Amino acid sequence: QKEVEQDPGPLSVPEGAIVSLNCTYSNSAFQYFMWYRQYSRKGPELLMYTYSSGNKEDGRFTAQVDKSSKYISLFIRDSQPSDSATYLCASLYQGGKLIFGQGTELSVKP
Amino acid sequence: SAVISQKPSRDICQRGTSLTIQCQVDSQVTMMFWYRQQPGQSLTLIATANQGSEATYESGFVIDKFPISRPNLTFSTLTVSNMSPEDSSIYLCSVDGGGRARDTQYFGPGTRLTVL
């Protein structure tokens, strides 16, 4: 079992839709959770990070962590074609090691 | 967030040769990391590089294959030695966010390596 599981998609939605991206993790020691966006042929860009359970909102993006079920979510409201990218969830392990999910490829159609 | 650059951005190399990838940060950082992203896969940590000490390698990665240098707080290199086609990947360096964001990491643009 991978420590962080993520549906690779691809996921295709129309412009303006609400997008829900999800990950599960297995290690209860994980406390910090991050979402990265990676455009084709670019490095990952940090979108959001959260500590422990709860919600964090930044503009059209909301990150949600439920530690009781080991579930991580990213919601994108009013999705735009420019949101088309691969989204990677990650959990921080000891020593600064990030454990990544496989990434979900998102396509927002105009 | 720190601005991170990598050189080269891409390269095509012959089997059996070595390539050194450079990572430069515009501010001093404590921890630098090297990741590999194989085609169609997610990122895997190769090693952690702290200034003034030997790099710490993850399981499956060894110093002879991936020697790392960290001469100061803004620079690191990763060498991919005796390359084979299986080493074709994107290699990325990252740095910790520092201060209140020290539990986050920011990534460079990556080096796309193709081994023939």
Side-chain angles (χ1 to χ4, degrees):
Chain A
Q1 180 191 10
K2 293 182 180 179
E3 290 190 279
V4 179
E5 298 267 9
Q6 185 176 7
D7 185 343
L11 180 62
S12 182
V13 301
E15 183 175 355
I18 296 175
V19 177
S20 174
L21 303 168
N22 305 294
C23 293
T24 58
Y25 64 95
S26 59
N27 192 332
S28 299
F30 291 162
Q31 291 191 7
Y32 290 88
F33 306 92
M34 294 159 215
W35 283 95
Y36 287 86
R37 177 174 62 193
Q38 187 174 26
Y39 292 112
S40 180
R41 299 180 179 273
K42 300 288 186 182
E45 171 194 7
L46 180 64
L47 274 179
M48 300 187 72
Y49 68 96
T50 57
Y51 172 74
S52 194
S53 287
N55 292 354
K56 185 175 183 179
E57 188 173 320
D58 184 2
R60 296 185 295 111
F61 298 89
T62 299
Q64 190 174 79
V65 175
D66 183 347
K67 295 194 77 178
S68 63
S69 59
K70 298 187 178 65
Y71 205 76
I72 313 164
S73 300
L74 179 70
F75 299 97
I76 307 174
R77 292 182 297 279
D78 187 25
S79 57
Q80 303 294 311
S82 59
D83 295 327
S84 298
T86 296
Y87 289 80
L88 299 154
C89 63
S91 298
L92 184 67
Y93 196 48
Q94 57 194 17
K97 176 180 180 179
L98 283 178
I99 309 293
F100 281 88
Q102 189 174 350
T104 300
E105 183 181 346
L106 172 67
S107 176
V108 181
K109 303 294 187 183
Chain B
S1 63
V3 176
I4 306 165
S5 60
Q6 286 185 234
K7 291 182 180 179
S9 59
R10 61 175 58 215
D11 208 339
I12 300 174
C13 300
Q14 296 297 319
R15 179 196 300 261
T17 63
S18 298
L19 176 72
T20 295
I21 302 167
Q22 299 179 7
C23 180
Q24 179 76 53
V25 190
D26 69 342
S27 59
Q28 295 184 340
V29 293
T30 304
M31 302 179 76
M32 296 182 77
F33 307 87
W34 287 98
Y35 288 82
R36 181 174 72 181
Q37 187 173 28
Q38 294 180 300
Q41 299 190 27
S42 193
L43 285 78
T44 301
L45 180 65
I46 297 171
T48 302
N50 292 330
Q51 194 265 337
S53 63
E54 294 290 325
T56 303
Y57 289 83
E58 295 298 309
S59 176
F61 298 97
V62 296
I63 187 171
D64 290 346
K65 176 67 175 177
F66 298 101
I68 288 171
S69 77
R70 180 81 197 273
N72 56 52
L73 292 174
T74 63
F75 187 78
S76 178
T77 67
L78 169 76
T79 299
V80 186
S81 303
N82 188 25
M83 288 183 286
S84 67
E86 291 72 34
D87 295 319
S88 297
S89 290
I90 300 172
Y91 292 86
L92 297 133
C93 70
S94 72
V95 304
D96 69 270
R100 294 170 62 183
R102 63 183 179 276
D103 292 311
T104 61
Q105 288 182 26
Y106 297 93
F107 283 82
T111 295
R112 184 177 296 268
L113 171 62
T114 301
V115 184
L116 302 177

